[in-house]
Amino acid sequence: MPISRLPRSPEELAAYDLIVLGDVPGGFFSPEQLEMIREHVAVRGAGLVVVAGPRNVPRGWERTPLEELVPFAPPTPAVIDREVSLRATDLAARLGVVGADSLPPPDAPWGRLRWAQRIDPATRKPAAEVLAETTEGDPILLRMRYGAGQVLYLATDETWRWRYGRGETLQERFWIPLLRLLGRESVAEGEAAWRLRATPSRIALGEATRLELELGESRAM
């Protein structure tokens, strides 16, 4: 269902298990909304899909709460100066995403992406994992755990080109398993018979932490 406006409170945002952001500047959101998105992923286990673009992502997110959700450190990656084709990694196969039937044949002209970012492996954050890469080995699709949730970063906004050869078939086979993977944590959180919470949610070395185990209607400390 379409929405008329963005959620303005954590309570409104709680209805959503997954957020997808395209090439949107950080200034499009209020500071409160940016922090709300970060907390929704970190604390409530929501999934976040980030689709990079030539204008704003991730350049427009620097020095905002969204910068923490990008699976590599600044600066903004350079652009790959050639057309590229994609292939899945072994990790993607283990997770059941980016299957062979969800990507165009490497030699298909309609399946080549004309714009993509070159992510320097040295800038990747420790928790970042590669699910897909170019046939030359450049990371294109990265997954990162962030608190209770997950972030997926796609370093291109050109998978729409696959429609030229297969209609919506490849788009659906590529995206639906990924969206299910990222939304799973939030759904499980809502259905769980127990929850373990840490206070504060960010723990510094040597800092005291409170753990609370919630079991249905009762609580055990």
Side-chain angles (χ1 to χ4, degrees):
M1 295 181 295
I3 59 176
S4 59
R5 60 172 176 79
L6 295 172
R8 294 173 180 168
S9 69
E11 292 73 25
E12 289 185 3
L13 192 58
Y16 301 93
D17 301 311
L18 180 66
I19 301 170
V20 180
L21 296 178
D23 196 23
V24 182
F28 181 79
F29 306 95
S30 69
E32 293 77 18
Q33 285 175 319
L34 293 173
E35 181 60 26
M36 192 170 64
I37 291 173
R38 191 194 69 77
E39 286 292 310
H40 193 50
V41 176
V43 178
R44 296 180 179 85
L48 174 66
V49 178
V50 180
V51 180
R55 296 183 180 181
N56 300 296
V57 176
R59 181 183 297 107
W61 294 6
E62 293 180 7
R63 296 179 294 279
T64 76
L66 294 185
E67 184 178 29
E68 294 187 18
L69 303 175
V70 177
F72 51 86
T76 293
V79 175
I80 298 176
D81 59 357
R82 64 182 186 281
E83 296 182 352
V84 299
S85 298
L86 300 190
R87 66 186 178 195
T89 63
D90 292 340
L91 174 61
R94 293 198 297 272
L95 294 174
V97 296
V98 197
D101 62 348
S102 69
L103 295 175
D107 57 350
W110 54 265
R112 295 174 189 151
L113 310 178
R114 300 180 184 178
W115 184 91
Q117 294 173 334
R118 185 191 303 278
I119 299 173
D120 184 350
T123 67
R124 274 172 37 202
K125 295 178 180 177
E129 304 170 311
V130 180
L131 300 184
E133 60 190 9
T134 69
T135 50
E136 289 77 22
D138 294 302
I140 289 293
L141 182 65
L142 289 85
R143 169 183 176 251
M144 182 180 75
R145 286 274 183 183
Y146 186 81
Q150 302 181 71
V151 179
L152 191 74
Y153 187 95
L154 182 62
T156 179
D157 61 354
E158 294 219 334
T159 61
W160 58 267
R161 294 187 180 277
W162 301 345
R163 294 189 175 106
Y164 289 133
R166 295 290 187 273
E168 295 297 329
T169 301
L170 294 183
Q171 287 277 71
E172 292 179 356
R173 290 177 178 174
F174 179 81
W175 279 111
I176 290 176
L178 291 171
L179 299 181
R180 286 175 175 164
L181 175 68
L182 263 69
R184 189 176 301 156
E185 300 291 339
S186 178
V187 172
E189 171 76 6
E191 297 176 349
W194 59 271
R195 296 183 181 89
L196 181 65
R197 303 184 188 280
T199 306
S201 58
R202 293 185 180 183
I203 305 169
L205 184 63
E207 183 181 51
T209 305
R210 175 186 175 90
L211 296 179
E212 181 179 8
L213 179 62
E214 182 178 342
L215 301 171
E217 297 296 328
S218 61
R219 290 187 176 184
M221 306 299 293

